[in-house]
Amino acid sequence: MKKDLRYYWQRLGTLAIFVLLMIIMGIFSPQYFLSRNNIIQIFLQSSINVLIAIGVFFPILIAGIDLSVGSVLGLTGMVSALLMANGWDMWLALLVGGVLLGAFLGLLNGTLVVATKLHPFIITLGSNMIFRGLTLTISDARPVYNLPRQFSRTIAGYVGAIPVPVIIAISVAIIFAFVTKKTKLGRGIYALGGNEEAAWLSGINTKLLKVVVFVFSGLCAGMAGIVMTARMGAAEPLAGTGYESYAIASAIIGGTSFFGGIGNIFGVVVGALIIGLINNALNILNVQTYMQQIVMGLLIVGSVTLDRLLARGSKGE
Amino acid sequence: MRQPLVEMENVSKTFGATRALDNVSMTIWPGEVHVLLGENGAGKSTLMKILSGVYQPSDGVIRVNGQVVERLNPKTAQEAGIAIIHQELSIINEISIAENIFLGRLPGNRGLFDRKTLEKMSAELLARVGLDMDPAWPAGVLKISQKQLVEIAKALSVGARVIVMDEPTSSLTPEEVEVLFKIINDLRKEGVGIVYISHKLEEIMEIGDRVTVLKDGTLVGSRPMDEEVTPELLVQMMVGSDLSSKYDTEDHSAVEVKSDKPITVKVEGLTRADGRCKDVSFEVREGEIVGFFGLVGSGRTEAMRALVGADPVSKGTVYLKGEAARISNPQAALKNGMGLIPEDRRHEGFCHNFPIWKNLTLPVIAKASKAGGLWGLVNARKERQAAAKVVEQLNVRCASIEQPITQLSGGNQQKVVLGKWLETDLDIFIFDEPTRGIDVGVKASIYDIIKDLARDGKSILVVSSELPELLALCHRLMVFREGTIVAEFPISKATKENVLYAATARINNQGVGVQ
Ligand SMILES: Nc1ncnc2c1ncn2[C@@H]1O[C@H](COP(=O)(O)OP(=O)(O)OP(=O)(O)O)[C@@H](O)[C@H]1O
Ligand SMILES: [Mg+2]
């Protein structure tokens, strides 16, 4: 019956880990950890990572990668801040400097990947540096502060008890879950991830889809850039540095396969929440940040190993 | 005293709820070619995967040279003298042919491997299997048939006492089959036991010494291949009833299609950017089935891929229904009602991450959507209905349409790869090796389906290495050699001899040379 175990693991394994961690923490520190405030805090702290992880999920789903998301976050956060600081209307600045710019940077990545036929690893390794360099250049390596009051109040504010970043992250998750599950576009991306040649011969426009997944990735990182700037009340030129590793880790912990074609948005979101949860827990338990990295690394290796083991189990041993 | 090489006793195997094998026994003697026969999904590959240590049996005993062996794995099976050539080849494209042959056993000492010896040993083995290739080349350059020969070389290199060949000839041309049979005969003389799985009854009649028949995972029987064994008897054992008349493939019912039917596809001077087919010209009429024969590497498949825009073209024009069409990718082909059913199911045919139904509806989704599968919603309920229909029509053996396609037997995967185009509403079907690995019963129904499509006015192009298949199915035959069409035969003029001659030698004066 290992096959059944595998079946449930694929669908609910990440969720099980999440619940298990909650229970463990609940035992350690019931009053504080399980308080409503802290739980909202976990979601809030995870919102940026959730956004990036949803984006980076798409290139991984086609057996690629996007290493530039951290820099896309930095650049979009910076450009939208500069636009606002220069008197642009807030919403226009966010649309152009955040969302559209993010999508455009993804478009660049995707077009380069298709045109050069190089592995996305190489392309985005390069564009990661380029985007970061651009951010430092246009900002003179200095943070941008004088942003409209309304900006942080809106984007980093609350609706009732729920922080706006959480609402944004959840909305984006729902939209992309719909895209992956219910649209032909989503089906095409999974097909491309499963077998590019078969998808191509079946009449799926795999070249266009390859660009689309990077646009999604850039788009999400762009939104993360806006949220980041709003939460900090300023645009930092080095914002988002290294965030790609947390986003990729979220996708992997959430059950996305590096070989392509397997994974889903729900898993990715839970994966990102697990990372947020662990960070929060280690903070509460007063564990040093260096130690936190070690735990995170072990978690990634551990969860993927478990996944592999169960995959082998289903092959009939 | 003569001792069997391998005895498998009461072997059973279950996958979840599927009972793939139920109390199957089989004995392999030295110097025999033991045919393993059964319909798609009967359990042949599973039984052999158990023997070669890929799967663990759920129950049963295996004895090698009289000794009970337990918990075989691929390495210990190899050490026990059992080699297997899997239905889905396991050649690694990125490393050299020589390294493929000696994978895991590279010659040399102290951790350094000795490339010279390796390549010398490999060259000898390649000569033995009749493959004229430099062993230092990456295996990726090989065609499927050549890879099959490399697999055989690999089995020879371990000095196996038992060699299992799971559908070794499914992508070989008649000459290559002859080479293989010569190798098998040599091995037989050396006392090697051979398990031979194939759906080609003609071959089985020629090479087999003994036959074991499986049906739905159970043993139907095992008997020597003596005079009493006829193809009809084999079919009867496989299917469980006398349906042999239904499987008479020597049916020359095809006649020429009237020349007043409109031409639907006209290809002029098609030349690939990589030169693997040059100056290919032909036309196909409405309701016509045109066969494309040629040796492996003669450019048939390459021409078809170029025709649907899967690979770049440097020259040539394609006219569809009289109008020049620009087909630069398979999406354009699909929009124009043309689809290619590819030859290599695992690499080109299906998405391994999809269940059966999602594979079956992929081209339908792509076709019904703008921008090549980018726009619109999916309707899972409708898709499942369509998929269930195809599964029934082609008799795909599966637990349900939700089953991952990777769990199907080879022949059943092939049915899915074919089936996904049947719901797509095309005008022009291009089949590349449509019946590879498919059992006799389903083969007949696939021929029926193809003929029905033609009767409905579709144009059909069939690439096949099986000449009898083309002779029975097509109205007209084109012969490829060295990347171009060298001869054309109306079916009334086509015989095994003159088609083969055209494929191998100079232009045959009995055919119409169109060079
Ligand atoms: N990994 C697996 N998981 C679940 N079912 C499986 C698995 N492998 C094989 N089966 C099932 O076991 C049965 C026997 O499969 P097998 O591959 O042995 O058939 P076969 O006789 O080799 O057929 P073919 O002629 O098509 O190659 C099939 O019904 C198949 O679906
Ligand atoms: Mg098989």
Side-chain angles (χ1 to χ4, degrees):
Chain A
M1 289 295 100
K2 272 176 184 158
K3 190 182 149 215
D4 292 343
L5 189 57
R6 164 86 182 150
Y7 180 91
Y8 291 116
W9 168 254
Q10 259 196 5
R11 275 152 193 82
L12 302 170
T14 336
L15 195 61
I17 292 180
F18 182 74
V19 172
L20 193 73
L21 286 173
M22 289 290 267
I23 293 171
I24 293 173
M25 280 312 293
I27 293 169
F28 266 100
S29 153
Q31 324 85 329
Y32 184 76
F33 184 80
L34 288 181
S35 69
R36 201 183 81 169
N37 266 344
N38 190 50
I39 289 184
I40 288 177
Q41 201 58 32
I42 292 172
F43 277 85
L44 179 58
Q45 282 166 355
S46 304
S47 56
I48 288 172
N49 188 29
V50 167
L51 282 170
I52 310 178
I54 290 172
V56 93
F57 161 75
F58 285 98
I60 298 177
L61 193 59
I62 66 160
I65 194 85
D66 186 350
L67 298 174
S68 72
V69 284
S71 300
V72 172
L73 182 154
L75 186 53
T76 52
M78 181 56 73
V79 170
S80 43
L82 283 173
L83 290 177
M84 282 186 283
N86 281 301
W88 278 46
D89 171 67
M90 177 187 116
W91 293 109
L92 190 64
L94 296 185
L95 181 69
V96 174
V99 181
L100 292 183
L101 178 62
F104 175 73
L105 297 175
L107 183 73
L108 281 182
N109 278 331
T111 312
L112 278 172
V113 166
V114 172
T116 60
K117 297 202 176 85
L118 288 172
H119 194 279
F121 187 95
I122 297 164
I123 300 291
T124 58
L125 188 68
S127 63
N128 184 45
M129 297 182 196
I130 297 170
F131 299 160
R132 182 63 66 194
L134 279 172
T135 314
L136 288 161
T137 309
I138 59 171
S139 66
D140 252 346
R142 277 195 292 262
V144 175
Y145 288 112
N146 40 356
L147 303 176
R149 274 261 172 87
Q150 186 209 358
F151 171 54
S152 282
R153 245 190 257 146
T154 319
I155 304 293
Y158 283 80
V159 174
I162 319 273
V164 175
V166 174
I167 295 173
I168 295 177
I170 290 175
S171 315
V172 168
I174 291 173
I175 290 170
F176 278 110
F178 179 81
V179 168
T180 50
K181 279 202 160 54
K182 298 286 181 202
T183 67
K184 294 182 177 172
L185 176 70
R187 185 71 64 75
I189 294 172
Y190 277 94
L192 167 59
N195 186 341
E196 179 173 354
E197 190 66 20
W200 170 242
L201 286 175
S202 298
I204 303 282
N205 193 340
T206 50
K207 287 181 187 163
L208 193 51
L209 279 180
K210 274 191 193 170
V211 178
V212 168
V213 295
F214 284 97
V215 170
F216 283 173
S217 184
L219 185 75
C220 291
M223 289 189 277
I226 295 172
V227 172
M228 182 87 180
T229 309
R231 287 199 64 205
M232 304 214 306
E236 291 275 355
L238 288 178
T241 308
Y243 277 26
E244 63 276 3
S245 52
Y246 288 104
I248 294 165
S250 305
I252 302 296
I253 292 171
T256 315
S257 162
F258 249 114
F259 299 105
I262 294 172
N264 59 58
I265 297 284
F266 179 71
V268 174
V269 172
V270 178
L273 288 176
I274 288 178
I275 288 182
L277 184 75
I278 291 176
N279 269 331
N280 178 273
L282 297 177
N283 279 335
I284 291 175
L285 299 177
N286 266 329
V287 180
Q288 281 184 336
T289 23
Y290 313 123
M291 194 62 191
Q292 294 189 9
Q293 293 213 358
I294 295 175
V295 173
M296 208 71 73
L298 288 174
L299 184 79
I300 292 167
V301 176
S303 70
V304 177
T305 310
L306 186 59
D307 198 50
R308 290 290 124 212
L309 283 177
L310 286 165
R312 205 174 314 150
S314 75
K315 278 207 175 155
E317 295 210 47
Chain B
M1 199 189 73
R2 228 164 81 95
Q3 191 192 29
L5 292 169
V6 167
E7 294 156 277
M8 301 181 82
E9 255 171 45
N10 300 324
V11 171
S12 296
K13 174 74 189 170
T14 50
F15 295 103
T18 313
R19 205 164 177 82
L21 288 173
D22 190 7
N23 263 315
V24 173
S25 301
M26 180 175 182
T27 306
I28 305 161
W29 293 90
E32 76 169 358
V33 175
H34 195 140
V35 173
L36 191 51
L37 193 63
E39 295 175 289
N40 293 132
K44 306 178 295 293
S45 298
T46 306
L47 186 64
M48 288 304 111
K49 281 182 185 163
I50 287 173
L51 178 60
S52 55
V54 178
Y55 291 154
Q56 294 301 317
S58 315
D59 206 1
V61 181
I62 301 173
R63 271 191 288 271
V64 178
N65 298 321
Q67 308 282 343
V68 174
V69 289
E70 265 167 50
R71 298 209 67 81
L72 272 179
N73 62 42
K75 195 159 170 60
T76 54
Q78 201 175 68
E79 283 158 11
I82 297 162
I84 183 165
I85 299 160
H86 286 289
Q87 190 169 3
E88 313 294 349
L89 302 178
S90 54
I91 298 288
I92 300 167
N93 285 339
E94 287 72 23
I95 63 179
S96 75
I97 298 172
E99 284 160 349
N100 264 293
I101 296 178
F102 287 97
L103 196 64
R105 300 167 289 114
L106 295 175
N109 45 20
R110 282 183 249 117
L112 299 169
F113 89 94
D114 173 358
R115 185 175 294 277
K116 268 232 183 77
T117 318
L118 174 74
E119 280 166 12
K120 199 167 135 270
M121 288 161 72
S122 303
E124 279 163 18
L125 289 161
L126 290 181
R128 236 174 114 191
V129 298
L131 183 60
D132 183 19
M133 276 278 173
D134 184 344
W137 279 19
V141 304
L142 300 175
K143 302 281 303 172
I144 302 188
S145 71
Q146 296 171 323
K147 287 181 179 171
Q148 216 130 25
L149 295 174
V150 172
E151 290 270 17
I152 295 169
K154 196 168 161 182
L156 294 178
S157 74
V158 298
R161 302 297 303 146
V162 174
I163 300 182
V164 178
M165 301 185 182
D166 196 346
E167 303 196 24
T169 57
S170 61
S171 48
L172 300 191
T173 55
E175 294 76 59
E176 290 165 331
V177 172
E178 242 163 65
V179 174
L180 175 67
F181 280 9
K182 225 183 106 273
I183 299 167
I184 292 180
N185 278 324
D186 289 348
L187 291 169
R188 173 152 59 185
K189 277 187 216 118
E190 290 165 24
V192 174
I194 302 212
V195 180
Y196 190 90
I197 302 179
S198 173
H199 292 293
K200 299 182 183 174
L201 298 180
E202 241 174 80
E203 277 173 25
I204 292 170
M205 294 299 294
E206 185 182 337
I207 196 82
D209 299 316
R210 189 171 187 86
V211 60
T212 292
V213 182
L214 299 182
K215 180 169 169 54
D216 296 333
T218 59
L219 184 67
V220 174
S222 184
R223 58 166 301 157
M225 296 273 294
D226 48 28
E227 300 78 48
E228 286 164 39
V229 176
T230 58
E232 290 73 34
L233 178 77
L234 292 177
V235 170
Q236 193 183 332
M237 287 175 82
M238 265 170 76
V239 184
S241 62
D242 188 8
L243 294 170
S244 47
S245 57
K246 202 180 145 205
Y247 302 129
D248 181 12
T249 51
E250 292 297 312
D251 158 26
H252 275 269
S253 61
V255 283
E256 280 145 57
V257 166
K258 293 223 174 60
S259 53
D260 61 351
K261 286 268 194 254
I263 294 173
T264 43
V265 194
K266 182 171 167 166
V267 175
E268 256 176 24
L270 192 70
T271 303
R272 282 169 63 107
D274 61 7
R276 279 159 71 180
C277 83
K278 316 175 273 290
D279 248 332
V280 172
S281 303
F282 61 87
E283 50 191 51
V284 185
R285 292 178 185 280
E286 197 181 289
E288 196 178 25
I289 307 174
V290 176
F292 293 83
F293 184 75
L295 302 185
V296 166
S298 60
R300 304 162 301 170
T301 297
E302 288 76 8
M304 296 305 146
R305 285 183 60 96
L307 175 57
V308 298
D311 293 328
V313 170
S314 65
K315 231 172 64 204
T317 322
V318 176
Y319 299 89
L320 295 176
K321 300 193 189 92
E323 279 172 41
R326 233 181 72 83
I327 296 174
S328 49
N329 54 35
Q331 296 95 57
L334 192 63
K335 287 281 178 266
N336 282 295
M338 181 161 72
L340 168 73
I341 296 97
E343 67 169 337
D344 181 346
R345 58 176 167 259
R346 206 164 52 132
H347 293 111
E348 311 164 326
F350 61 81
C351 294
H352 66 82
N353 55 334
F354 278 174
I356 295 169
W357 67 275
K358 281 188 190 171
N359 269 298
L360 277 171
T361 52
L362 199 53
V364 186
I365 285 193
K367 183 156 193 265
S369 149
K370 291 206 180 69
L374 289 185
W375 201 247
L377 299 184
V378 293
N379 183 340
R381 202 172 50 87
K382 250 197 183 153
E383 282 181 52
R384 284 194 170 94
Q385 280 170 0
K389 205 175 102 194
V390 178
V391 162
E392 194 178 313
Q393 188 186 3
L394 292 179
N395 190 17
V396 179
R397 296 256 168 114
C398 55
S400 86
I401 54 170
E402 309 294 331
Q403 204 176 3
I405 184 157
T406 46
Q407 291 182 359
L408 294 188
S409 79
N412 284 302
Q413 289 173 348
Q414 180 70 18
K415 293 181 205 168
V416 172
V417 169
L418 265 175
K420 69 183 198 178
W421 294 95
L422 297 179
E423 285 292 300
T424 316
D425 188 28
L426 300 174
D427 301 321
I428 302 150
F429 287 84
I430 306 171
F431 292 98
D432 197 349
E433 306 285 358
T435 60
R436 167 170 299 163
I438 281 185
D439 71 46
V440 275
V442 181
K443 226 178 213 173
S445 51
I446 285 175
Y447 294 155
D448 285 342
I449 288 168
I450 292 181
K451 284 179 182 168
D452 281 345
L453 289 171
R455 234 168 268 134
D456 287 348
K458 316 283 190 198
S459 302
I460 311 229
L461 289 71
V462 184
V463 172
S464 176
S465 306
E466 272 187 75
L467 198 44
E469 171 167 295
L470 291 177
L471 290 173
L473 196 60
C474 301
H475 301 115
R476 213 144 44 87
L477 274 188
M478 303 285 198
V479 181
F480 264 88
R481 182 154 44 86
E482 286 165 16
T484 193
I485 295 180
V486 292
E488 176 180 343
F489 298 92
I491 198 68
S492 53
K493 299 256 169 60
T495 63
K496 217 172 177 160
E497 291 70 35
N498 60 16
V499 173
L500 265 178
Y501 186 74
T504 47
R506 292 184 53 83
I507 302 168
N508 188 332
N509 49 18
Q510 288 170 36
V512 189
V514 289
Q515 203 160 38

